């Protein structure tokens, strides 16, 4: 019969193919690296795909010379410059037709308590060129001093007024990045903070905060931060008062051991109980 040669041939094929199979699969050991095949392609984040892209993009309806309902800044007449850095503040203020009579009198004639603060130069619109900041302090009425903070920018050699805001003469100002922050002490222990930020073609008010600096103002019932419209009231967090602690309870007093002759203490002899 031919069954034996057939079985022998099958067995021989299995024995010959087993090493090849072991070499292809290998022996998996814990923590070993193995090839799991080709990785899936990484999909990029979907990007906006406009509909009807052949149509022109919508343009906001803005009246000529206006931005969001506000008139565009008008260049100062008769004044041109290549840069505002180093420009005298009085020269720029004198060319500004929007100055009030009190400011112009303080600028031209001077008065008791009047002051024109020296120009400061800070980049507030992020274009790399500095804007000019100055302020005029004057007496609007007896016992009512006032001040106006001015900021000017330069566009194509033209000087533009981008901010004019009335402030208290005791105001302080600083810049944080491109933000302009004005601080005013409005009352004892109370400070108002105004933050101005560049928007299109000028500086606009973006944040207003009233900060209580001490116990001189009654803030009972107010949370540490309270929002009223665009004004944020920041009150100091009340300090918890110390709670008096009760004195420790008196424990049993232990009488001192009687002294033995020579000053040594005599230890009590323990009693045995049956």
């Amino acid at each position: 019969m031919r069954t034996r040669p057939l079985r022998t041939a099958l067995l021989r094929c299995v024995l010959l193919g087993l090493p090849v199979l072991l070499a292809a699969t290998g022996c998996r050991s814990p923590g070993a690296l193995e090839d799991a095949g080709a990785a899936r392609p990484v999909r990029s984040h979907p990007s906006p795909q406009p509909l009807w892209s052949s149509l022109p993009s919508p343009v906001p309806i803005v009246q000529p010379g206006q931005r969001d309902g506000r008139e565009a800044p008008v260049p100062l007449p008769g004044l041109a410059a290549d840069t505002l850095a180093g420009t005298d503040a009085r020269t720029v203020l004198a060319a500004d037709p929007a100055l009030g009579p009190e400011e112009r009198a303080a600028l031209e004639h001077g008065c008791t308590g009047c002051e024109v603060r020296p120009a400061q130069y800070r980049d507030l619109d992020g274009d790399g060129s500095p804007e000019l900041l100055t302020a005029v302090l004057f007496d609007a009425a007896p016992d009512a001093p006032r001040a106006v903070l001015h900021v000017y920018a330069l566009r194509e050699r033209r000087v533009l007024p981008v901010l004019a805001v009335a402030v208290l003469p005791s105001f302080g100002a600083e810049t944080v990045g491109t933000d302009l922050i004005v601080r005013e002490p409005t009352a004892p222990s109370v400070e108002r903070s105004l933050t101005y930020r560049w928007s299109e073609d000028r500086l606009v008010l973006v944040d207003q905060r009233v900060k209580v600096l001490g116990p001189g103002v009654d803030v009972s019932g107010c949370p540490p931060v309270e929002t009223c419209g665009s004004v944020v009231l920041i009150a100091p967090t009340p300090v918890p008062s110390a709670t008096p602690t009760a004195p420790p309870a008196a424990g049993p007093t232990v009488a001192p051991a009687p002294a033995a002759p020579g000053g040594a203490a005599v230890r009590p002899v323990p009693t045995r109980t049956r």
Side-chain angles (χ1 to χ4, degrees):
M1 297 180 63
R2 298 181 178 179
T3 57
R4 181 174 298 177
L6 181 59
R7 292 179 181 176
T8 303
L10 292 176
L11 181 60
R12 185 178 300 174
C13 293
V14 171
L15 294 176
L16 291 176
L18 182 60
V20 178
L21 180 61
L22 292 177
T25 58
C27 298
R28 296 182 181 179
S29 59
L33 297 177
E34 59 182 72
D35 188 3
R40 295 182 180 180
V42 178
R43 295 183 180 181
S44 59
H45 193 274
S47 58
Q49 300 294 329
L51 299 174
W52 308 291
S53 57
S54 59
L55 298 178
S57 301
V59 178
I61 301 176
V62 179
Q63 297 296 331
Q66 292 185 351
R67 295 293 185 273
D68 297 335
R70 301 171 300 178
E71 294 184 0
V74 179
L76 303 186
L79 187 61
D82 295 326
T83 179
L84 289 178
T87 305
D88 183 60
R90 290 179 175 270
T91 303
V92 178
L93 290 169
D96 192 348
L99 253 65
E102 297 89 354
E103 288 185 273
R104 196 160 298 278
L107 179 65
E108 297 176 355
H109 310 295
C111 58
T112 304
C114 295
E115 179 187 354
V116 177
R117 292 195 175 179
Q120 299 291 315
Y121 312 97
R122 303 291 176 87
D123 183 11
L124 299 177
D125 59 358
D127 65 348
S129 299
E131 277 66 51
L132 186 148
L133 299 87
T134 184
V136 181
L137 285 65
F138 55 91
D139 291 329
D143 300 329
R146 289 184 52 195
V148 179
L149 173 65
H150 293 273
V151 182
Y152 298 92
L154 190 66
R155 293 293 182 272
E156 299 178 355
R157 304 190 74 249
R158 300 180 300 173
V159 182
L160 305 177
V162 295
L163 180 66
V165 57
V167 293
L168 296 175
S170 56
F171 83 98
E174 61 188 6
T175 55
V176 179
T178 56
D179 288 352
L180 171 63
I181 301 177
V182 179
R183 305 186 188 277
E184 296 179 297
T186 57
S189 303
V190 177
E191 179 187 80
R192 183 174 67 164
S193 174
L194 308 172
T195 301
Y196 294 89
R197 187 171 300 163
W198 190 267
S199 176
E200 295 184 354
D201 54 8
R202 71 188 68 213
L203 290 169
V204 297
L205 180 64
V206 296
D207 185 72
Q208 181 177 177
R209 294 173 180 263
V210 177
K211 186 176 182 180
V212 179
L213 302 175
V217 178
D218 183 14
V219 292
S220 57
C222 295
V225 178
E226 181 181 3
T227 304
C228 300
S230 60
V231 179
V232 178
L233 172 64
I234 303 178
T237 304
V239 179
S241 58
T243 304
T245 57
T253 58
V254 179
V266 179
R267 296 183 179 178
V269 178
T271 57
R272 293 184 179 180
T273 58
R274 295 182 180 180

